[in-house]
Amino acid sequence: MHVLILGGTTEGRRLAELLHGTPGLKLTSSLAGRVASPRLPPGETRVGGFGGAEGLAAWLREHAVDAVVDATHPFAGTISFNAAQAAATSHVPLLALRRPGWVPVEGDRWREVGSLREAARSLPALGRRVFLTTGRMGLDAFADLDALWFLVRSVDAPQPPHPSRMEVLLDRGPFTLDGERELLRRHRIDVVVTKDSGGAATAPKLAAAREARLPVVVVRRPPVPEGVPVLSDPEKAAQWVRAHLEQGSFPAID
């Protein structure tokens, strides 16, 4: 049985670790290639796009893929919709593996928005020194905010267009609460911008902002394509795959 993991996330790597070496299972992890030095999962890997939904469907047929697990980043919307279309046309079962989103707690000063451009429009009324943690993609949405100063944290260096008043911090999670507290203090941050990526690796910035009573602009994640079953636990996703090996069919997911 051949399973394709659309990965690049902690959950995708964990699923590959759980399934690697399973008798009767061939495993391929696909990475988008947007990070220069990605953390590679065990097993076979491929890097780069497929050429849209049609290209992915052709790849599934050519490589006799029996199931696809979409374990991409919650904001990698294009590949998720391509995967849904390709799986449907190829009659291949598809599962989405998504970490749970963040939930505000008492003391949070969140402003939820639907896009990076909406986040940018909200900033002038909230602060002047911005901690921007949305990654290196999409910085053009903030490029015309010349009155604001940005601390941009990303794994790889961003390319223009981007804000003119900007300091780049190249770093990769997981981050600590003490480290995030010090970062906010040292750079005199007065507003934080983040995507609702979920998970624990980058959540300490939310706790640090809560303690400092800073506003946080949170970009809502796009929905999973309609009709695609979703699990949040790599262990359960691995059980879903193994059930097919043992029973000859994939169990239904409520």
Side-chain angles (χ1 to χ4, degrees):
M1 184 172 109
H2 188 188
V3 173
L4 172 66
I5 299 176
L6 303 174
T9 60
T10 301
E11 292 75 20
R13 288 191 300 274
R14 179 57 181 155
L15 178 60
E17 291 168 357
L18 291 168
L19 293 176
H20 182 60
T22 301
L25 178 64
K26 177 182 178 181
L27 194 64
T28 303
S29 294
S30 178
L31 311 180
R34 292 182 176 178
V35 177
S37 299
R39 296 172 177 169
L40 296 179
E44 295 186 18
T45 60
R46 67 173 303 280
V47 178
F50 291 93
E54 292 184 1
L56 177 53
W59 198 94
L60 297 180
R61 292 189 294 268
E62 179 183 352
H63 293 84
V65 172
D66 296 284
V68 179
V69 179
D70 174 13
T72 55
H73 191 277
F75 282 84
T78 300
I79 183 60
S80 293
F81 280 91
N82 286 345
Q85 183 176 338
T89 58
S90 303
H91 305 289
V92 173
L94 170 66
L95 172 71
L97 177 58
R98 291 286 187 275
R99 68 189 73 160
W102 290 318
V103 178
V105 300
E106 184 177 356
D108 281 326
R109 299 177 59 199
W110 287 14
R111 174 175 293 195
E112 296 191 16
V113 297
S115 67
L116 289 175
R117 295 203 176 277
E118 188 178 347
R121 289 194 296 268
S122 72
L123 286 178
L126 297 175
R128 288 293 180 267
R129 297 182 65 83
V130 183
F131 183 26
L132 189 56
T133 68
T134 56
R136 65 186 179 90
M137 309 296 291
L139 293 185
D140 58 311
F142 305 89
D144 62 349
L145 297 176
D146 296 332
L148 307 187
W149 180 89
F150 291 85
L151 175 65
V152 175
R153 182 164 67 191
S154 64
V155 176
D156 295 317
Q159 300 296 319
H162 53 59
S164 58
R165 301 177 61 209
M166 176 184 75
E167 179 177 334
V168 177
L169 176 61
L170 297 182
D171 205 354
R172 189 201 303 258
F175 303 105
T176 66
L177 179 55
D178 285 343
E180 300 293 65
R181 287 171 177 152
E182 173 59 20
L183 187 148
L184 296 180
R185 185 200 63 77
R186 184 171 70 251
H187 293 280
R188 296 179 286 115
I189 299 298
D190 54 19
V191 58
V192 177
V193 181
T194 184
K195 294 176 178 178
D196 179 17
S197 301
T202 61
K205 64 190 170 190
L206 301 175
R210 184 187 314 122
E211 291 179 355
R213 299 193 58 77
L214 299 182
V216 179
V217 180
V218 180
V219 182
R220 291 186 294 270
R221 59 174 61 180
V224 173
E226 186 176 356
V228 177
V230 182
L231 291 175
S232 60
D233 184 355
E235 296 275 357
K236 292 183 178 179
Q239 292 172 9
W240 181 79
V241 172
R242 292 194 186 103
H244 184 278
L245 282 171
E246 297 169 359
Q247 304 168 16
S249 62
F250 289 101
I253 297 173
D254 295 332

